[in-house]
């Protein structure tokens, strides 16, 4: 079954503990943690300290998405904070395999992220070494953006790459995902859907998660 990973970025930051508990009770599988540094993307969010404070209050799988220029500096702090999956942008690194090994040596799963304008060819060599590929379906930096329709074909092509090589990478999709397009994203091959306002902004979060999941 496809996993739903609500993005903490869309939560009420004055009530974070209750917000996380709410989506867990509503049926969410993962908590998606968008970490931005104001350099790689034009926004600044939160860091390991906030995640560590939330960790005792949730049994959700913690999935951290690094939108930063120096992802290697975040590995140990995020491991200590309780993160279980750490993804970084292929656009930010020269030695992707080295960083994947660093993440796995710290005891976390490792994922690679591609912006909408980044070719799948850039991850051809690293694909066998990562647990997940995150395809951005909006340009990263801010929540609440509209889904880029061309992302659907990119998901399909990535799924074909994985299948053709008998690999088992999860495909995660992030950006503008909600009730209106969840089904087509899943049909294209996505395994994990990141949904921000579509879940946290819904009057009935349990119903929203169920509808996105299909």
């Amino acid at each position: 079954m496809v996993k739903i990973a609500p993005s903490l970025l869309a939560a009420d930051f004055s009530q974070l503990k209750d917000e996380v508990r709410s989506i867990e009770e509503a049926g969410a599988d993962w908590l998606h943690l968008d970490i931005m540094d104001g350099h790689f993307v034009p926004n600044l969010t939160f860091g390991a300290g906030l995640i560590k404070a939330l960790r005792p209050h949730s049994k959700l799988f913690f999935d951290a998405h690094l939108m930063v220029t120096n992802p290697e500096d975040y590995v140990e702090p995020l491991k200590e904070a309780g993160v279980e999956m750490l993804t970084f942008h292929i656009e930010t690194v020269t030695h992707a395999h080295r960083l994947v090994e660093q993440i796995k040596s710290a005891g976390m799963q490792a994922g690679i992220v591609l912006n909408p304008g980044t070719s799948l060819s850039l991850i051809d060599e690293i694909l066998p070494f990562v647990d997940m590929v995150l395809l951005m379906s909006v340009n990263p930096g801010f929540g609440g953006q509209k889904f880029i329709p061309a992302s659907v074909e990119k998901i399909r092509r990535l799924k074909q790459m994985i299948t053709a090589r008998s690999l088992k990478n999860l495909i995660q999709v992030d950006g503008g995902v909600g009730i209106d397009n969840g089904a087509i994203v899943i049909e294209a091959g996505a395994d994990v859907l990141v949904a921000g306002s579509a879940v946290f902004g819904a009057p009935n979060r349990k119903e929203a998660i169920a509808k996105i999941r299909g």
Side-chain angles (χ1 to χ4, degrees):
M1 182 182 292
V2 67
K3 298 183 185 301
I4 305 299
S7 171
L8 189 68
L9 200 60
D12 179 351
F13 269 57
S14 70
Q15 306 287 335
L16 282 185
K17 183 174 75 171
D18 292 338
E19 289 281 77
V20 172
R21 182 179 292 122
S22 170
I23 62 161
E24 187 167 354
E25 292 173 352
D29 304 288
W30 292 13
L31 180 65
H32 189 75
L33 301 156
D34 290 302
I35 299 172
M36 308 181 192
D37 65 356
H39 297 282
F40 178 63
V41 292
N43 197 6
L44 188 66
T45 56
F46 49 81
L50 184 143
I51 296 168
K52 187 173 183 178
L54 286 175
R55 182 72 274 186
H57 304 288
S58 177
K59 295 180 181 178
L60 291 171
F61 184 88
F62 275 21
D63 157 43
H65 171 194
L66 293 178
M67 287 171 267
V68 301
T69 54
N70 53 332
E72 63 280 355
D73 293 345
Y74 291 73
V75 176
E76 288 301 326
L78 289 175
K79 169 58 181 177
E80 292 175 9
V83 167
E84 291 151 292
M85 170 78 79
L86 188 58
T87 61
F88 63 92
H89 278 257
I90 191 68
E91 301 90 355
T92 65
V93 295
T94 302
H95 305 290
H97 183 268
R98 179 184 297 168
L99 182 51
V100 168
E101 291 298 299
Q102 183 184 349
I103 293 167
K104 291 191 172 186
S105 293
M108 293 179 286
Q109 294 182 52
I112 200 88
V113 192
L114 288 84
N115 282 334
T118 301
S119 172
L120 290 172
S121 63
L122 285 189
I123 62 167
D124 186 66
E125 298 298 329
I126 197 67
L127 197 57
F129 301 99
V130 297
D131 300 289
M132 186 173 76
V133 179
L134 166 53
L135 295 181
M136 293 301 298
S137 45
V138 299
N139 288 293
F142 297 93
Q145 298 184 68
K146 290 185 178 180
F147 182 85
I148 297 172
S151 304
V152 175
E153 179 56 30
K154 193 173 185 180
I155 298 165
R156 289 198 179 100
R157 287 189 283 115
L158 174 58
K159 185 67 174 180
Q160 290 167 0
M161 285 174 63
I162 292 168
T163 302
R165 298 169 70 175
S166 300
L167 299 173
K168 297 182 180 180
N169 314 79
L170 293 176
I171 298 175
Q172 185 178 64
V173 180
D174 181 4
V177 176
I179 294 169
D180 294 340
N181 56 18
I184 192 170
V185 170
I186 294 168
E187 183 275 330
D191 303 292
V192 186
L193 305 188
V194 177
S197 54
V199 173
F200 280 109
N204 186 324
R205 293 173 177 177
K206 184 174 183 178
E207 183 179 273
I209 289 172
K211 286 183 176 180
I212 295 168
R213 201 193 303 274

